[in-house]
Amino acid sequence: MNGAESLLRTALAAGIEVCFANPGTTEMALVAALDAVEGMRPVLGLFEGVCTGAADGYARMADKPALTLTHLGPGFANGIANLHNARRARSPVVNVIGDQATWHLAADAPLTSDIASLARPVSAWVREVRMPASIAADTAAAVAAARHVPGRVATLIVPSDCLWSPAEGAAQALPLESPSSVPTEMIRRAATTLQKCGSKCVLFLGGQAMRLHGLAAASRIAASTGCRLMCETFPSRIERGAGRPAVEKLPYFPEQALELLSKYEAIVLAGALAPVAFFGYPNLPSSLIPNGCSSETLATPEQDSVTALAALADEIGAPANDAGTTQLSRPPRPAGQLDSATVGAALAALLPENCIVMDEAATTGLPFFAASAGAPPHTYLALTGGAIGQGLPCATGAAVASPERRVIAFQADGSGMYTLQALWTQAREGLNVTTLVCNNRRYRILQVELARAGMTEPGRKARSLTSLANPEIEWAKMAAGLGVPAVRVDTAEALCTELERALAVPGPNLIEMLI
Ligand SMILES: Cc1ncc(C[n+]2csc(CCOP(=O)(O)OP(=O)(O)O)c2C)c(N)n1
């Protein structure tokens, strides 16, 4: 067995089954070894940002890492933005990056660069393999690092001679650690706050607390104390819809978030960090917790927030089955022109049960979350790190992880243009992804930000940097060119008809919505 096979067999033994790859010459031994390792599925991405975003989406749904395979520093660098998003989502990801042969590094050949320095800002763990004999142990360590609770990005840099040379065989998976438990003292303190402040308290959820068990406990607490359930503005994954507790997102703009939270005396954090503004603005604070509202941590993202929430519910004597659950209710099918309200209503009206929604719809997406609160149960994923171009790749990875479920990529046009190659991967892999592109022909959020900064009449140059209208981008045509059947709609009625049709057929499809 060579180093490449040793790496793949070790990853497989640790439960990794998928490799989102865009390889080059330094990874040839790994490419060849894939055929010798039954059970490891390679998925080709035509841009590294597709591979890393897909690994994020896969991890969010499978709760375990995939491999990404990228080519030296430049290949990896193309994937960094979506690894940034994965890091913010606390998704477990194992990056494997091929490097020059150890003895060829000194020659400083054209593709040679300092890969570790590129990897560090997005990786909690980085290791350079030094010899073929260590490749199995290094791989096992990389997987263990990625699975460190709640999930981290781990990067293994592997010189090509270590891949092609004979190695020692595969290593066993290292034992998985469990999340650190929350001290009883923290649970008691949070219980006191919730009981004292009651409906003047927000229980603020993140990470595993937004999964079914965490939500059930949070719902018991809300039913018992009257507290309001909220979650991060951009949740990595939340289970929602009919039969599940209703959780609101904290508004994006700091003025709105501060105004909302100013009505409360306390915020209790469960699996989430204290919320901060996405950007600094003149005369606005970084923290979104207003003066006069106290903040208290029940569980950090690294701690076992689910067990802590259940213990807290018991501590305050919340009845076991008192979970206030959301009634099934959908908006009626909308009619008329396409805008954020009718698009949100159409999607909420037709959302299939048990689907996964990846929301990178930016400004057009805003009304959807509230409109779909009573839709059939579904999973919602958001852009966690603000690095746009995550939606289509993440939807692709989610579909690889959950082939039995329909994935809906709710996608803003400007953001979608960063990584539209993901559509080709969806077509090639036959993934059940329905993409709804919000073609508003602009970077609307940037126009909003210009106005917020007082530039209500932007000049020609400023306008040109926020408009996508010239030339007009034709998404349906691009999708067809990448192997994904697509249609274009410009009314809410047509959107409903086409969406119903798209959801009924297997494989990927795309609806371009002219907003
Ligand atoms: C990687 C990256 N590059 C640039 C930006 C800055 N940025 C934020 S939103 C945005 C445009 C979003 O436009 P679109 O996706 O069309 O959504 P809309 O605002 O029109 O709803 C840009 C360029 C970013 N957040 N991330």
Side-chain angles (χ1 to χ4, degrees):
M1 176 183 309
N2 65 11
E5 193 174 331
S6 162
L7 187 156
L8 291 177
R9 288 201 184 283
T10 303
L12 190 67
I16 297 187
E17 298 170 291
V18 180
C19 175
F20 296 102
N22 189 279
T25 303
T26 40
E27 297 79 41
M28 278 306 116
L30 270 169
V31 171
L34 279 162
D35 278 308
V37 179
E38 194 63 40
M40 183 65 76
R41 173 180 174 188
V43 176
L44 180 60
L46 300 186
F47 174 67
E48 293 83 350
V50 172
C51 303
T52 53
D56 180 13
Y58 178 92
R60 293 196 209 181
M61 294 314 304
D63 280 323
K64 64 177 187 174
L67 296 180
T68 71
L69 178 61
T70 52
H71 184 50
L72 298 113
F76 177 76
N78 280 341
I80 284 178
N82 273 334
L83 288 170
H84 165 87
N85 291 322
R87 180 174 80 86
R88 291 291 181 188
R90 300 192 173 79
S91 293
V93 175
V94 176
N95 301 309
V96 175
I97 311 172
D99 197 0
Q100 301 285 12
T102 47
W103 46 264
H104 191 51
L105 276 172
D108 195 26
L111 266 167
T112 304
S113 67
D114 180 357
I115 304 175
S117 289
L118 289 169
R120 261 180 224 112
V122 288
S123 312
W125 183 100
V126 180
R127 185 178 292 179
E128 292 168 277
V129 174
R130 304 252 175 241
M131 59 185 111
S134 75
I135 209 163
D138 291 335
T139 305
V143 180
R147 300 194 82 163
H148 183 95
V149 178
R152 304 196 303 194
V153 176
T155 300
L156 191 63
I157 302 163
V158 198
S160 54
D161 53 333
C162 295
L163 290 170
W164 73 55
S165 302
E168 308 272 296
Q172 283 190 340
L174 297 173
L176 280 186
E177 29 144 19
S178 21
S180 62
S181 51
V182 171
T184 315
E185 189 40 42
M186 279 165 90
I187 294 166
R188 291 221 179 98
R189 258 213 328 253
T192 307
T193 303
L194 277 152
Q195 282 175 318
K196 188 173 80 157
C197 301
S199 63
K200 290 274 177 196
C201 186
V202 168
L203 184 52
F204 192 69
L205 309 173
Q208 290 290 324
M210 298 185 291
R211 304 292 184 86
L212 291 179
H213 292 299
L215 290 170
S219 182
R220 286 174 62 202
I221 296 164
S224 188
T225 64
C227 73
R228 187 165 177 176
L229 295 182
M230 300 204 71
C231 69
E232 295 164 330
T233 312
F234 298 101
S236 54
R237 171 176 170 181
I238 182 162
E239 302 300 325
R240 62 193 303 267
R244 292 164 178 182
V247 179
E248 295 158 87
K249 290 197 287 188
L250 189 67
Y252 171 75
F253 286 115
E255 298 90 332
Q256 293 166 5
L258 284 164
E259 200 210 307
L260 189 150
L261 291 180
S262 68
K263 300 186 188 109
Y264 293 88
E265 287 167 10
I267 175 166
V268 172
L269 308 167
L273 298 175
V276 294
F278 222 73
F279 298 106
Y281 294 95
N283 306 319
L284 282 168
S286 293
S287 170
L288 294 180
I289 302 180
N291 292 335
C293 178
S294 71
S295 147
E296 188 164 314
T297 299
L298 169 68
T300 66
E302 288 73 32
Q303 290 176 315
D304 185 352
S305 55
V306 177
T307 306
L309 282 167
L312 172 51
D314 292 342
E315 173 80 20
I316 61 175
N321 291 322
D322 207 3
T325 49
T326 313
Q327 299 293 316
L328 180 69
S329 76
R330 293 171 181 271
R333 290 165 78 117
Q337 68 178 32
L338 285 174
D339 54 29
S340 57
T342 51
V343 166
L347 185 50
L350 297 170
L351 204 69
E353 180 157 0
N354 200 31
C355 73
I356 299 163
V357 179
M358 170 63 231
D359 180 358
E360 193 182 31
T363 58
T364 311
L366 291 177
F368 165 75
F369 197 78
S372 57
H378 61 278
T379 300
Y380 176 91
L381 314 175
L383 166 62
T384 44
I388 60 176
Q390 186 247 11
L392 298 178
C394 200
T396 304
V400 170
S402 308
E404 72 294 351
R405 298 175 67 176
R406 173 61 52 174
V407 178
I408 293 170
F410 189 23
Q411 184 61 54
D413 56 348
S415 303
M417 282 302 292
Y418 286 65
T419 44
L420 78 164
Q421 305 91 332
L423 295 173
W424 182 87
T425 301
Q426 292 171 13
R428 173 186 245 221
E429 301 290 325
L431 302 175
N432 295 324
V433 183
T434 295
T435 298
L436 292 179
V437 176
C438 313
N439 189 353
N440 64 4
R441 298 167 296 286
R442 71 195 70 193
Y443 285 163
R444 182 159 173 245
I445 184 70
L446 300 193
Q447 295 178 343
V448 172
E449 292 286 16
L450 277 173
R452 275 166 57 80
M455 281 158 272
T456 43
E457 299 284 331
R460 185 179 57 80
K461 293 179 193 172
R463 282 203 312 274
S464 81
L465 289 189
T466 61
S467 166
L468 308 181
N470 180 22
E472 197 178 302
I473 296 169
E474 301 202 46
W475 271 90
K477 285 190 182 164
M478 290 196 302
L482 293 169
V484 172
V487 292
R488 202 179 221 210
V489 297
D490 58 5
T491 64
E493 291 88 339
L495 170 59
C496 291
T497 308
E498 291 300 339
L499 183 55
E500 245 175 353
R501 195 174 297 168
L503 294 171
V505 291
N509 41 48
L510 181 143
I511 301 172
E512 176 183 8
M513 306 179 295
L514 288 177
I515 311 276

